Amino acid sequence: MTSKPPENNLPAGYVVPDVWTWDKGNGGQFATINRPISGPTHEKELPVGKHPLQLYSLGTPNGVKVTILLEEMLAAGHTGAEYDAWLINIGEGDQFGSGFVSVNPNSKIPALMDHQPKDGGAPLRVFESASILVYLAEKFGAFLPTELRARTETMNWLFWQMGSAPFLGGGFGHFYAYAPIHIKYAIDRYAMEVKRQLDVLDRHLADNRYLAGEAYTIADMAVWPWYGLLAMGEAYGDAGRFLEVQSYANVQRWTAEIGARPAVKRGRMVNRTSGTPESQLRERHDAADFETKTADKLAKG
């Protein structure tokens, strides 16, 4: 690659080697779970509950997408969407257990097993959050329009999120909140991109109630846990102030409307391990769990 003056690099004197080697001592909040190879690190079977749908996840934005959709399905009367949600603690390496890797070889949450797929065959695995959203929407015939133009617009924004959010999370969020040092170039680069994305959303939502138009769809459920939480100032510490999220009025309107939905509030609680104890439902196996098994209730015995 083109050489640059080593004294200007960070750290000063760093020269890019001809071949990359893994530095296990590289810091950062997630250094202990990141590695350059795939596959399981230990044997561990996944639990299976009483419902056909078994979700293995964590209350991160990607996990919340799916629990919001499942709670919206139940609220809409789709009783077959009842589910068990098992906590996968990525900080402890649960995603590298043999059972989880068999469901998602990429070792990322969320992952879903459908023990009663529509074809009547063997249990079916579904991984990648967008794939899970589409799978469930098609299984139950909800939140994904069938009309060509509305469906296409829904898919446009669903895949916009899949392509854009890595710049928000792995880019901006990592270098702003999680990296062991602050690197001005990296923060400036990704802050610029995230503000551009917020502007994309804001301009679109100026003329549309939801991302696909007047219909609330899986596109909104995919985008909201990333950009809605950022707009609410609930992502990456004080990143909301840094990015001036309040200036995106249409994003704020959309964020507030979706955040007020009861199913969204429930979906945010599932597999959550941070926030107030009453907001954390670490595992969910029944609708009644929201009233009886949040972290504060369990702590009281």
Side-chain angles (χ1 to χ4, degrees), residues 164 216 251:
S164 298
Y216 174 57
V251 173

Side-chain angles (χ1 to χ4, degrees), residues 162-261:
M162 296 298 287
S164 298
F167 291 95
L168 169 56
F172 173 78
H174 176 79
F175 287 106
Y176 185 80
Y178 302 136
I181 59 173
H182 281 153
I183 303 172
K184 183 180 185 299
Y185 172 81
I187 292 173
D188 286 350
R189 167 68 180 86
Y190 288 111
M192 178 178 65
E193 174 60 14
V194 172
K195 286 185 72 67
R196 189 193 67 82
Q197 293 172 3
L198 287 168
D199 192 56
V200 169
L201 287 173
D202 202 62
R203 289 170 184 265
H204 178 70
L205 290 168
D207 301 314
N208 296 275
R209 180 180 180 185
Y210 298 112
L211 290 175
E214 287 300 306
Y216 174 57
T217 70
I218 57 173
D220 300 286
M221 300 176 207
V223 174
W224 189 89
W226 284 99
Y227 297 89
L229 293 186
L230 179 65
M232 293 163 62
E234 296 186 21
Y236 313 120
D238 60 355
R241 176 187 54 78
F242 180 75
L243 296 171
E244 298 181 300
V245 295
Q246 291 298 326
S247 66
Y248 302 96
N250 302 305
V251 173
Q252 291 292 335
R253 185 269 307 162
W254 169 85
T255 293
E257 181 173 354
I258 292 176
R261 297 177 67 91

Side-chain angles (χ1 to χ4, degrees), residues 12 110 126 148:
V126 194
L148 174 64

Side-chain angles (χ1 to χ4, degrees), residues 67-291:
T67 50
I68 285 176
L69 174 57
L70 287 166
E71 292 298 327
E72 290 283 12
M73 289 288 188
L74 293 170
H78 298 281
T79 57
E82 270 293 352
Y83 66 104
D84 291 277
W86 303 93
L87 180 66
I88 299 297
N89 193 326
I90 62 174
E92 297 179 2
D94 290 349
Q95 70 275 31
F96 299 122
S98 57
F100 188 85
V101 174
S102 70
V103 180
N104 185 355
N106 196 38
S107 292
K108 303 290 184 181
I109 62 94
L112 179 75
M113 286 295 297
D114 185 354
H115 290 262
Q116 290 184 5
K118 291 179 71 173
D119 66 1
L124 182 63
R125 74 179 187 185
V126 194
F127 61 89
E128 288 297 328
S129 58
S131 180
I132 296 173
L133 294 180
V134 173
Y135 177 84
L136 292 172
E138 292 182 337
K139 179 181 177 76
F140 296 105
F143 301 110
L144 178 57
T146 56
E147 187 273 325
L148 174 64
R149 294 179 183 275
R151 178 186 173 89
T152 300
E153 189 70 354
T154 301
M155 299 298 273
N156 287 341
W157 288 102
L158 175 63
F159 285 97
W160 176 88
Q161 184 276 314
M162 296 298 287
S164 298
F167 291 95
L168 169 56
F172 173 78
H174 176 79
F175 287 106
Y176 185 80
Y178 302 136
I181 59 173
H182 281 153
I183 303 172
K184 183 180 185 299
Y185 172 81
I187 292 173
D188 286 350
R189 167 68 180 86
Y190 288 111
M192 178 178 65
E193 174 60 14
V194 172
K195 286 185 72 67
R196 189 193 67 82
Q197 293 172 3
L198 287 168
D199 192 56
V200 169
L201 287 173
D202 202 62
R203 289 170 184 265
H204 178 70
L205 290 168
D207 301 314
N208 296 275
R209 180 180 180 185
Y210 298 112
L211 290 175
E214 287 300 306
Y216 174 57
T217 70
I218 57 173
D220 300 286
M221 300 176 207
V223 174
W224 189 89
W226 284 99
Y227 297 89
L229 293 186
L230 179 65
M232 293 163 62
E234 296 186 21
Y236 313 120
D238 60 355
R241 176 187 54 78
F242 180 75
L243 296 171
E244 298 181 300
V245 295
Q246 291 298 326
S247 66
Y248 302 96
N250 302 305
V251 173
Q252 291 292 335
R253 185 269 307 162
W254 169 85
T255 293
E257 181 173 354
I258 292 176
R261 297 177 67 91
V264 172
K265 293 178 180 180
R266 291 193 297 273
R268 285 194 66 193
M269 295 172 64
V270 179
N271 296 144
R272 189 171 182 176
T273 59
S274 62
T276 59
E278 61 270 19
S279 72
Q280 300 177 36
L281 183 62
R282 296 196 168 204
E283 289 187 1
R284 186 251 192 238
H285 304 290
D286 188 88
D289 291 348
F290 289 101
E291 301 299 327

